[in-house]
Amino acid sequence: MGKQLLMGNEAMALGAIRAGVQVVTGYPGTPSSEVLENIAKHNKNKDIYVEWSVNEKVAMEIAAGASYAGCRCLVTMKQVGMNVAADPLMNLAYIGIKGGIVVLVADDPGPISSQTEQDTRQFGVFSKIPIFDPSTPTEAYDMIVDAFEYSEKYQTPVIFRPTTRVCHGCDAIELKEDRYENTVEGFVKDSKWVIFPRLSYQAHLRIEDRNPEIAKDFSSYSKNTVQGDGKLGIMTHGNNYGYVMEILERFDLVDQVTILKVATPYPFPEDLALRFLQQVDRVLAVEELSAYLERELIFLCGKHGIQKEILGKLSHHIQAAGENSVEVLTKPILDFLGVKSPESKKMRDVTIPLRPPVLCAGCPHRSSFYTIKKAMKGKKCVFTGDIGCYTLGNAKPLEMVDTCLCMGAGITIAQGIRRAEPDTTSFAFIGDSTFFHSGITGIVNAVYNQTDMILVVLDNGTTAMTGKQPHPGTGMTMMENMSGQIRIPDLLRAIGIRDLIELDPFDLETCKSEIVRLSEGRGVRAIVFESPCIKLFKPDTLYYVDEATCVGCKRCVNELGCPAIIKAENGKVRIDESLCYGCSICAQVCPFHAIKEVE
Amino acid sequence: MLNILLVGVGGQGIVLASKLIAQCGIDAGFQVKTAETIGMAQRGGSVVSHVRLSDREIYSSLIPYGEADVIMGFEPAEVVRNIQYLKNGGKIFVHELPIKPVTDTLSKESYEASDMIAYLKEVTDQVIVMDCTEIFERVNSKQVLNVALLGATFATGSLDIKVSDMEKTIASYIKPQYVDMNLKALKMGAQLAWKGSI
C-alpha cells in the first residue's frame, strides 16, 4: 500500500476504524474536529454510525448507551468540551462499560485557539479513568487500538489525549489492512446500569483496587519506555519527547541521559518510573500544561524514601505556561546537562504588520454588529458575546463584544448584568451552533425568570469557526442524509418569545428601525439575523470604489474594518476584488455613493 | 535532513504546496513530517507550514529556529516574521507583492514591501526576490504562486528533490484539468528565479 501522508487527526480516525469502532459521536472544537470528520469520510459502507451531537455531554451519553449494548465507541471533543461532558463521564467511570469507549480529548498548549490551558491528564486523576498520551501521529495510529483494548480489558472508559501538534502534524504512515470485528451482544437488563449511592460505594472500592493493577500493566506497556543509560534523567511525554530528542541529537548529548517517556500518565506506571529513578542521579521533567509527571515522580520519591532532585515546572526550570518547543526547551535542557547554550543571533528590530484574525470580508456578523451599534448609539448597553467566529466582533472598529466566557454564557451573563444594572439594555449574541450546544437552556431561564434582554442569534447556517460542521439547524447529518431541520425562530416562539424579528443583516435601513423598536420593549425579545457564512456560497456581485467620486474620507474602512478595503496610493481606498464577497454594506455606508457594483 | 518552511497568508495555497513537497519526499523514499498552523487562521491570517525530509528518523514535525534550508515566502512581511527559522547559508525565495492586513489599512502608518525585502537582504545574501505577476498573466490564474515558488526552490537540483520529481508529483496528485497550468507555472517559476525572466 505504501506510506501515506496523514494528519494526526486522520491517523487517529483510521486507527479507530481499524480498532472496529462502531459508534462515533462528538462536538467540533479545534484541534479535535478532523477526527470525527475523517471517520465519516472513510465510512464508505456506512457501517459506522457517526454523528455531530449537539454538545459534548450528549455525545458522551450516546456513547454510554451504545457501549452498554456492546458497541465500541469513540467520543471526540476539545479540552473545554470535557468540562461539558464531565457529568456523564464521572458517573460512567463508576458504572463501567461493555463495548470499549475511547474519549478523545484534544488539549491545546499555548493556548492557540482555546479559552484555557487545562491539562486533561489531570482529569485522569480526578475521574480515575486511564489516560493515553500519544507523541506523534504514527504512534497515535497504533495507540488508539491499544486504548480500545485496555478499555474493554478493565471495563472502563479511557481518555485519549493528543495535543495540537499531534492532531495537526502530519506523518508518512504505513497503514495496516486488518480491522477488528466486534460482535454486539445487545443491551442486557441488569441493576448494574442504574447508579445508586450503595452501588457507587462498591464501584469506588473496585476502582481503587483496580487502578494499581492498571499501573502495573502500564509499566510493561510498549509505548512507555526507558531509553539510554546516562546518569541524568529526562522524563517527558507527548510531542515534548520529539523536542527533547531533537535537542539531544543536535548537541550530541544522547549518551549522557536516560529518558523516561510516559505514554500513560494515569494510572502512573510506578514500577517503570522506579527503574528509571534507580538509573539516574537527577531528573528534569519536560512537560506541557501542568507539572503532572513532576508531581507523580516527587510523590514516588517520597513514597519510597528516595532522595533525588526532581526539577521541572514546579522548580521554575520549565516554563509554567505556554506551548513548549525546541526553542523554549534548549536552554533548560542544556543547563540541566551542564552545557553552555549557544548565543542567540542578534537581529535588527523591524516593525512587522500584525495580522490578527478578523471577520472575513462579506461576513454577515460584521453587518449584524454594525447595525446594532448604530441603532443603539448613545444608549447604555452591554453586548455579551460567545464562542465562535463572532468573538472577533470585539476587535476595532466594531468593538461589540464586551464579554466572552464559555459556550452559551453570553445569554446568561446578560441576565446577570441586567439584574445588577437594571438601566442597562442587555444584548446577548450567540451563533447558531452554539445556540443548540448550550444556548437553549439559558434562554429558557430568561423567559422563565422574566428577564429584560435581547437575544441576538447570528445564524450563518453552519459551525463556521471549526470548519463548516452541520448542526440541527442545517438539517444535514454526518450520515449524509437530511433530517428534520430545526428552525431557531420557531423554537424561540415555542418557548414564549413573542417579540421576535428575523432580519437580513445586510439590509441596514430595515435593521436599524426594527432594532430601535425592539430595544424599547420589555421581557425577552429576540433578533435572528439570517445570512449564510461566506464559506457556503460564491458571490455573484462584487463592488469597486469609483476613484473619481471617492474623497478619501475612509468612513467605510474606519467603521467596518473590512479586510477587502485597502488604502490606495492616492490617499483614497480601493477594494481588493479577490477578497470582496459582495455584501454591499460598504456601499450603504459610503456618504458619497462612491462604492458601486462591478458591472 | 532537508527543512523547508513555507510562509504566507491564508488562501495562497501554502498547504497544498507543502503536501506536494511531502508527497515528493515519500515517493523518493524519505522519512517525512509536516506541520501547519491552523486553528483560528482564517482568510488573511498568517500561515506557516513546516516540511521536513530525512533519510533517518525525524523526531518533531516543527523545524527549530536556525534550521530551515529554504524559506518559501508567499508574502514579504511573513518571511521577516519567520526569519529566525533560516539556517546560516539557507535560501529565501520571496514573492514581492505585499498583502496588507486590515490593521494596516486602519492605522495611519503603512508597511512597505521594499523595507521587508531590504531587511531580508541585510540578514542574508541568499535572497531571490520574484514578481510572479507575469506568470499569473501567462496562465491566467493567481492560484499558481505556490507551484511557481516550488519551481524556483527545486530548480537547481541542489536539494534532495529535483524539479523533475516535482513534475511527476504534480501530474499524479493534482486534478487533471489543472496539471498543464501548474507544470507551466513550475517551469516559469524556475526560469524567473534563476534567469531573472521567463
Side-chain angles (χ1 to χ4, degrees):
Chain A
M1 201 168 179
K3 285 187 173 176
Q4 288 187 43
L5 187 72
L6 295 177
M7 187 200 264
N9 281 345
E10 187 167 15
M12 290 182 260
L14 291 171
I17 292 174
R18 190 174 156 246
V21 74
Q22 292 155 309
V23 171
V24 183
T25 59
Y27 186 80
T30 309
S32 71
S33 313
E34 298 87 354
V35 177
L36 189 144
E37 288 175 329
N38 272 293
I39 290 182
K41 184 178 116 187
H42 292 281
N43 190 20
K44 296 267 166 11
N45 303 326
K46 300 272 178 286
D47 47 5
I48 303 170
Y49 175 73
V50 188
E51 73 164 42
W52 282 126
S53 309
V54 295
N55 64 36
E56 295 84 355
K57 171 175 151 68
V58 169
M60 187 74 74
E61 290 156 355
I62 289 166
S67 160
Y68 291 176
C71 285
R72 282 197 162 185
C73 305
L74 177 72
V75 192
T76 77
M77 64 196 72
K78 68 182 298 177
Q79 88 283 39
V80 287
M82 183 60 129
N83 305 335
V84 178
D87 191 11
L89 186 63
M90 293 299 291
N91 303 353
L92 191 63
Y94 278 51
I95 287 281
I97 53 111
K98 185 152 85 184
I101 295 186
V102 175
V103 184
L104 189 152
V105 185
D107 277 358
D108 179 17
I112 299 171
S113 46
S114 299
Q115 304 92 301
T116 68
E117 273 204 303
Q118 67 192 66
D119 186 340
T120 299
R121 295 179 301 169
Q122 303 285 1
F123 222 102
V125 186
F126 184 50
S127 63
K128 307 182 191 299
I129 292 173
I131 296 222
F132 292 81
D133 184 5
S135 61
T136 63
T138 308
E139 189 178 68
Y141 174 66
D142 289 328
M143 194 186 272
I144 201 161
V145 178
D146 304 336
F148 276 101
E149 282 168 11
Y150 277 98
S151 169
E152 287 179 359
K153 182 175 178 185
Y154 292 100
Q155 294 289 293
T156 172
V158 301
I159 297 170
F160 197 80
R161 194 290 302 243
T163 56
T164 304
R165 300 301 174 186
V166 174
C167 291
H168 286 168
C170 301
D171 276 7
I173 300 177
E174 185 90 53
L175 294 179
K176 293 167 184 151
E177 301 282 354
D178 60 321
R179 179 169 170 181
Y180 176 79
E181 296 243 1
N182 182 41
T183 4
V184 178
E185 187 192 16
F187 180 68
V188 180
K189 294 189 183 190
D190 189 313
S191 59
K192 73 176 182 180
W193 301 121
V194 185
I195 201 161
F196 270 115
R198 173 91 196 133
L199 185 78
S200 298
Y201 165 75
Q202 287 161 346
H204 189 186
L205 285 178
R206 204 168 53 241
I207 290 167
E208 297 298 348
D209 278 347
R210 177 201 71 196
N211 280 359
E213 263 180 63
I214 301 181
K216 273 205 168 50
D217 201 348
F218 277 164
S219 278
S220 57
Y221 176 49
S222 65
K223 291 177 176 63
N224 286 320
T225 56
V226 175
Q227 63 185 89
D229 50 15
K231 296 309 271 178
L232 293 166
I234 293 181
M235 172 172 57
T236 188
H237 71 114
N239 49 314
N240 282 264
Y241 170 75
Y243 304 145
V244 168
M245 289 306 294
E246 181 114 16
I247 292 165
L248 295 176
E249 287 216 340
R250 190 204 266 193
F251 293 93
D252 203 13
L253 296 165
V254 179
D255 296 348
Q256 300 193 23
V257 297
T258 300
I259 299 171
L260 170 64
K261 170 173 157 281
V262 181
T264 56
Y266 184 84
F268 190 68
E270 281 194 18
D271 294 352
L272 187 74
L274 279 173
R275 285 207 293 282
F276 165 74
L277 271 175
Q278 280 156 10
Q279 228 171 289
V280 298
D281 299 330
R282 305 164 72 211
V283 177
L284 178 67
V286 177
E287 58 190 320
E288 254 166 356
L289 296 174
S290 73
Y292 178 88
L293 299 175
E294 190 181 352
R295 281 183 193 279
E296 285 289 344
L297 211 63
I298 291 170
F299 169 80
L300 205 61
C301 286
K303 186 171 160 184
H304 295 272
I306 300 167
Q307 286 211 338
K308 281 184 184 168
E309 198 176 17
I310 314 293
L311 307 175
K313 282 178 182 285
L314 299 175
S315 63
H316 308 292
H317 288 82
I318 298 291
Q319 62 177 5
E323 191 186 19
N324 286 342
S325 62
V326 167
E327 293 73 44
V328 164
L329 296 173
T330 297
K331 192 171 184 307
I333 289 178
L334 293 184
D335 285 353
F336 175 69
L337 299 177
V339 176
K340 199 168 172 287
S341 297
E343 297 275 319
S344 57
K345 263 194 280 183
K346 289 269 183 300
M347 299 212 191
R348 173 168 72 88
D349 281 343
V350 60
T351 315
I352 309 167
L354 294 172
R355 230 179 265 283
V358 291
L359 293 171
C360 300
C363 176
H365 301 333
R366 174 177 292 105
S367 203
S368 303
F369 284 128
Y370 178 71
T371 185
I372 292 180
K373 183 175 180 170
K374 282 285 152 191
M376 299 311 292
K377 198 174 175 191
K379 306 242 172 69
K380 191 178 177 193
C381 297
V382 172
F383 305 105
T384 54
D386 220 297
I387 310 282
C389 290
Y390 49 98
T391 315
L392 299 173
N394 73 324
K396 281 192 168 60
L398 293 169
E399 298 179 294
M400 282 292 284
V401 176
D402 296 327
T403 70
C404 179
L405 184 68
C406 64
M407 298 279 284
I411 292 175
T412 32
I413 286 177
Q415 296 168 44
I417 290 176
R418 171 75 200 184
R419 293 297 173 203
E421 240 179 68
D423 61 336
T424 297
T425 307
S426 290
F427 283 84
F429 292 93
I430 193 164
D432 39 349
S433 187
T434 309
F435 178 77
F436 287 111
H437 178 281
S438 46
I440 294 172
T441 45
I443 199 65
V444 167
N445 186 71
V447 172
Y448 165 56
N449 289 301
Q450 302 162 56
T451 314
D452 288 324
M453 67 171 287
I454 300 166
L455 169 71
V456 185
V457 181
L458 304 168
D459 186 354
N460 63 359
T462 191
T463 317
M465 189 167 67
T466 48
K468 296 190 291 186
Q469 290 81 9
H471 60 67
T474 67
M476 292 298 294
T477 74
M478 289 309 271
M479 299 304 282
E480 286 178 11
N481 45 20
M482 289 295 290
S483 66
Q485 185 181 1
I486 299 170
R487 291 202 69 246
I488 294 173
D490 293 348
L491 200 146
L492 293 173
R493 285 192 188 98
I495 61 168
I497 300 177
R498 277 169 200 83
D499 213 350
L500 181 149
I501 43 175
E502 295 172 55
L503 292 171
D504 169 4
F506 297 122
D507 179 356
L508 296 183
E509 271 311 304
T510 312
C511 285
K512 192 174 172 184
S513 56
E514 286 289 296
I515 292 160
V516 169
R517 183 187 64 74
L518 202 73
S519 71
E520 286 157 0
R522 299 296 306 269
V524 180
R525 290 141 286 162
I527 302 167
V528 180
F529 283 113
E530 285 177 330
S531 188
C533 172
I534 64 156
K535 287 174 184 153
L536 301 179
F537 69 99
K538 293 259 180 275
D540 43 35
T541 46
L542 299 180
Y543 285 79
Y544 74 101
V545 179
D546 176 18
E547 212 179 305
T549 323
C550 176
V551 301
C553 71
K554 300 201 179 64
R555 181 161 170 190
C556 50
V557 68
N558 289 337
E559 299 224 334
L560 301 171
C562 174
I565 306 175
I566 49 185
K567 281 186 217 168
E569 277 69 36
N570 53 14
K572 300 179 181 183
V573 295
R574 71 183 174 84
I575 290 176
D576 180 342
E577 280 188 26
S578 70
L579 288 174
C580 177
Y581 235 77
C583 79
S584 84
I585 55 167
C586 57
Q588 295 180 53
V589 165
C590 177
F592 301 96
H593 307 290
I595 301 179
K596 297 169 181 168
E597 270 187 42
V598 176
E599 294 295 324
Chain B
M1 178 82 86
L2 172 62
N3 291 320
I4 300 178
L5 194 77
L6 300 90
V7 301
V9 170
Q12 290 190 302
I14 292 173
V15 174
L16 177 62
S18 64
K19 283 196 170 136
L20 288 170
I21 303 172
Q23 193 56 53
C24 224
I26 293 171
D27 293 344
F30 289 106
Q31 306 267 346
V32 177
K33 275 188 190 283
T34 72
E36 286 129 24
T37 54
I38 45 182
M40 278 184 89
Q42 312 205 351
R43 272 165 39 125
S46 297
V47 173
V48 181
S49 188
H50 301 241
V51 183
R52 314 190 75 186
L53 312 177
S54 176
D55 44 20
R56 46 193 295 242
E57 184 172 1
I58 306 164
Y59 289 108
S60 163
S61 55
L62 297 175
I63 300 168
Y65 284 178
E67 295 281 309
D69 298 281
V70 177
I71 295 181
M72 289 169 59
F74 290 63
E75 205 282 341
E78 294 309 307
V79 183
V80 176
R81 196 190 307 283
N82 293 288
I83 195 68
Q84 314 90 315
Y85 286 100
L86 192 70
K87 185 187 262 183
N88 277 335
K91 274 197 171 55
I92 297 171
F93 297 90
V94 56
H95 178 51
E96 68 181 348
L97 296 185
I99 295 177
K100 298 197 173 180
V102 67
T103 43
D104 184 77
T105 315
L106 285 169
S107 71
K108 294 211 166 53
E109 285 157 35
S110 193
Y111 96 89
E112 298 301 329
S114 54
D115 294 343
M116 298 293 130
I117 304 278
Y119 180 86
L120 295 177
K121 287 183 170 167
E122 280 173 36
V123 176
T124 170
D125 56 1
Q126 300 282 306
V127 187
I128 294 179
V129 182
M130 299 164 67
D131 177 353
C132 298
T133 317
E134 199 184 338
I135 301 179
F136 301 156
E137 283 165 8
R138 292 233 197 148
V139 302
N140 197 23
S141 168
K142 282 185 183 174
Q143 301 302 313
V144 296
L145 174 60
N146 52 3
V147 175
L149 283 168
L150 288 175
T153 304
F154 297 109
T156 58
S158 60
L159 302 171
D160 293 330
I161 287 177
K162 315 279 171 263
V163 88
S164 56
D165 300 329
M166 191 50 78
E167 280 174 2
K168 277 183 219 150
T169 305
I170 287 173
S172 330
Y173 294 94
I174 287 193
K175 283 190 186 153
Q177 64 266 40
Y178 300 121
V179 168
D180 269 356
M181 181 175 96
N182 277 293
L183 289 178
K184 276 185 197 152
L186 186 79
K187 201 168 166 195
M188 288 189 277
Q191 287 168 341
L192 186 64
W194 296 97
K195 293 184 186 153
S197 67
I198 306 171

